[in-house]
Every structure is written in C-alpha cells, then in structure tokens.
Amino acid sequence: GWEKNTLKLGEEILDEMTKRLSQAQDREFCPYLTRQCCLESELFDEQSKLVNISEVLKENKIPNCSAVPSIPENSLGSCAFVAPGSSLLRIPRGKFIDKHDTIVRLGHEPLRAWKKYTGSRTTVVIGKKNWEKRAKARRSLEERQNTAAKDYTGIKYKFGHDSSVRNYEKKGTGILHIMDLRATKALPQKHKLLSGTEYWTGNIFNLHQSLYRGMTVPARGRIKRARSTGYEEILKLLFSRLCSRIDVFGLTANCGGYYHDREHVMSVHHSCELESWSLHYIMRNLRGTQEFCVWI
C-alpha cells in the first residue's frame, strides 16, 4: 500500500494533523460551504490563497450568505458514514447504522435488499460521478429511478456536486444542498519532517496529497496514485466537526468490490491499504470532543 521505509513519514504527517484537529477552534476548518463558514472574514484555500467568498457564491448561483444552509458544529450528532465496500457483508450492522442521528451515504447504491447490512435510513447523500454509468449496466433508467425514489427517502442534505440528484430529489422535498469549500481559517503551512521531506498542513486537500506523494509509488510504474472519493469525503466530514461522533462502515482495505457487486474493481491508482491504515491511525490517536471509529 505504500513505498518501503515511508511508514514513519506517514505517522509524522498524521501526528501533526491529529494534533491540529484535536486542538482546533470553532470553524477552523471549512470543507463545506455552510453559513457559519460563509460569514468568516478570512479563509484560505489549499494553495494558501485567500478565498473570495463573493466569487464562490456567484459560481454556485447563491445570492448571499443568508441563503446558505446553517449547520452548527456537532449539530448532526452521531454520524454513520456508509461507503459501498464489500466489507459491509462481514457482519450485519444495519440496525446499528440506523440508530445514528445522521446517516451519510456515499453514492446511490441499492438498500432494500441489503438493509440488514446497510441500514435503511438516509440523511445525507454524497454523489459519486460514476454512479449513473455503473447503474446503467445493471438496470434500465426506469428501474433506477424507481429504486432510488424508494430507497432514498427522507434525505435532508446533499453534500457536494451530484449529477444523479434528479433520481431522488423532487420539487418540494426541501433537500439542502451543501457545496464544497475546502478552506481553513489558518494559513496552510509547509513543514519539514525528520527525514527532510517537506509537506503542507492546514487543509484537507494538503493532507491526502502529502500522504500519497510522500508514501506511494506510481501504479505499474507510471500511473500516479491518488485518494479515493470515500477517503476524501470521510476526511472532509471529520474536519468539518459537524458530527460529535463518526462511525465509518463499508471501506474495504483491499479495494475488493461493492456489497451488491462483488466483481467491481476499483481504479488501480487508489491505495486502499494506505487509506485504511491512515484512518485507523487517526482513530487511535485523535483526542478531543469528537469520537471517530472505523469498522472493518
């Protein structure tokens, strides 16, 4: 999952990150465009540049910060982040998932036939760009829309861009759209590790970029490795501090298939082993008011 002799490098990067996250002040990290972050006087992006909130609002066709949904820290309570990995099939935890205050689902995967593993409630949907392409191979358009309409009811939030939103959103549903912002109040800083390697801290994008660049080698000698969607979304939710507790389900450490499609193969440029190791490292070392648990 990573290059030889780089484990200590990853530990140094994650130690710095967990320290910052444990000591973070209110809204120090703004991975999402909430009203609270929108009203901040000064925010920086992953390139240490000042964020122009007016331009962000204009790009997303939002008139002003008052029109941005308000989501205070810890207001989502206990959160279950449910990814579609085949590890969900190891132990039926559907009832435990449904007991959470907020259930965040990655993608629009089928639930009804799998609810003893996946649970049946959904509060937040995070769209995956390749969902429609994969779903088309399994079901007709009409079947997809009917399944999504029945499986994905009661949704309160949609996080990020989602080209498949029309499959479950109808006029009058009141779903709140939360856009990505990827900003922080503190200016991202470049640090030098014991090995002499330099990396950035302070922004969610910098973290997974530093881990992948510092610890992995290209797949097949030529394909640059990069984070998976699930990994990035978990980190964004963790940095946002919108949840008092986050339980992660359905991340398969060996990139092995989906719970409803065991033959699915993830992109070769992901390093699921590295991502699994780093999330468990965060779980063991994170201190503070936010709880974090990764279920395997």
Side-chain angles (χ1 to χ4, degrees):
W2 48 80
E3 192 175 9
K4 186 178 179 181
N5 299 324
T6 59
L7 192 60
K8 184 62 179 176
L9 170 65
E11 290 176 346
E12 287 185 63
I13 294 173
L14 292 172
D15 284 343
E16 179 67 27
M17 189 281 290
T18 53
K19 179 181 176 182
R20 289 197 56 161
L21 189 56
S22 298
Q23 299 174 351
Q25 310 253 328
D26 289 348
R27 291 185 300 280
E28 178 174 343
F29 303 104
C30 286
Y32 306 120
L33 181 60
T34 63
R35 188 179 306 169
Q36 288 76 12
C37 287
C38 187
L39 293 171
E40 287 291 340
S41 59
E42 193 174 75
L43 292 170
F44 299 92
D45 64 13
E46 63 267 16
Q47 297 176 333
S48 300
K49 296 179 181 178
L50 278 170
V51 175
N52 188 325
I53 288 294
S54 297
E55 288 296 321
V56 173
L57 294 175
K58 182 179 179 181
E59 182 181 343
N60 290 289
K61 299 179 181 179
I62 301 172
N64 50 56
C65 287
S66 298
V68 177
S70 173
I71 314 180
E73 287 194 1
N74 295 322
S75 61
L76 299 185
S78 63
C79 296
F81 183 99
V82 187
S86 60
S87 62
L88 276 175
L89 301 175
R90 290 186 65 251
I91 300 174
R93 294 194 175 103
K95 291 183 179 179
F96 176 49
I97 289 173
D98 278 344
K99 287 181 180 179
H100 287 73
D101 299 317
T102 300
I103 293 91
V104 182
R105 297 198 184 274
L106 180 65
H108 310 253
E109 314 300 342
L111 302 180
R112 282 177 294 161
W114 309 89
K115 63 182 180 181
K116 71 176 181 179
Y117 301 105
T118 64
S120 58
R121 293 178 53 230
T122 304
T123 316
V124 178
V125 167
I126 300 174
K128 291 192 69 177
K129 294 179 181 178
N130 64 345
W131 177 81
E132 287 186 352
K133 182 179 179 181
R134 290 189 292 103
K136 188 174 183 179
R138 297 196 306 265
R139 300 187 294 266
S140 69
L141 176 61
E142 183 178 0
E143 288 174 326
R144 289 205 313 274
Q145 291 175 333
N146 289 339
T147 299
K150 293 176 181 178
D151 282 356
Y152 287 82
T153 58
I155 298 171
K156 187 173 181 181
Y157 300 106
K158 175 187 74 71
F159 282 10
H161 175 72
D162 185 358
S163 61
S164 305
V165 68
R166 65 180 181 273
N167 287 331
Y168 60 85
E169 184 187 53
K170 297 179 180 179
K171 289 184 178 180
T173 56
I175 295 176
L176 299 176
H177 293 205
I178 310 299
M179 304 301 179
D180 290 337
L181 187 58
R182 293 186 179 184
T184 180
K185 287 170 65 175
L187 183 68
Q189 299 291 322
K190 184 176 285 188
H191 292 259
K192 182 171 288 188
L193 301 176
L194 296 177
S195 63
T197 303
E198 292 185 330
Y199 78 102
W200 290 87
T201 62
N203 190 286
I204 184 64
F205 183 83
N206 302 132
L207 172 62
H208 58 67
Q209 187 180 72
S210 294
L211 285 173
Y212 264 92
R213 286 185 177 179
M215 297 183 66
T216 65
V217 293
R220 298 172 184 166
R222 57 184 175 81
I223 304 173
K224 288 186 178 181
R225 293 189 181 272
R227 88 291 178 275
S228 66
T229 301
Y231 184 63
E232 181 182 17
E233 296 298 337
I234 290 169
L235 292 177
K236 282 159 61 178
L237 190 64
L238 183 63
F239 271 68
S240 73
R241 293 165 57 119
L242 298 180
C243 305
S244 58
R245 175 186 173 95
I246 301 175
D247 288 290
V248 176
F249 306 90
L251 283 187
T252 305
N254 63 354
C255 291
Y258 291 141
Y259 65 85
H260 55 84
D261 183 7
R262 299 295 299 275
E263 295 182 0
H264 174 77
V265 178
M266 289 184 67
S267 300
V268 69
H269 70 280
H270 297 321
S271 178
C272 298
E273 296 87 352
L274 170 60
E275 294 179 359
S276 178
W277 167 78
S278 64
L279 289 175
H280 282 87
Y281 190 91
I282 294 170
M283 179 182 73
R284 291 193 302 270
N285 294 279
L286 185 64
R287 300 292 182 267
T289 58
Q290 189 171 207
E291 296 180 71
F292 184 62
C293 186
V294 184
W295 297 79
I296 58 174

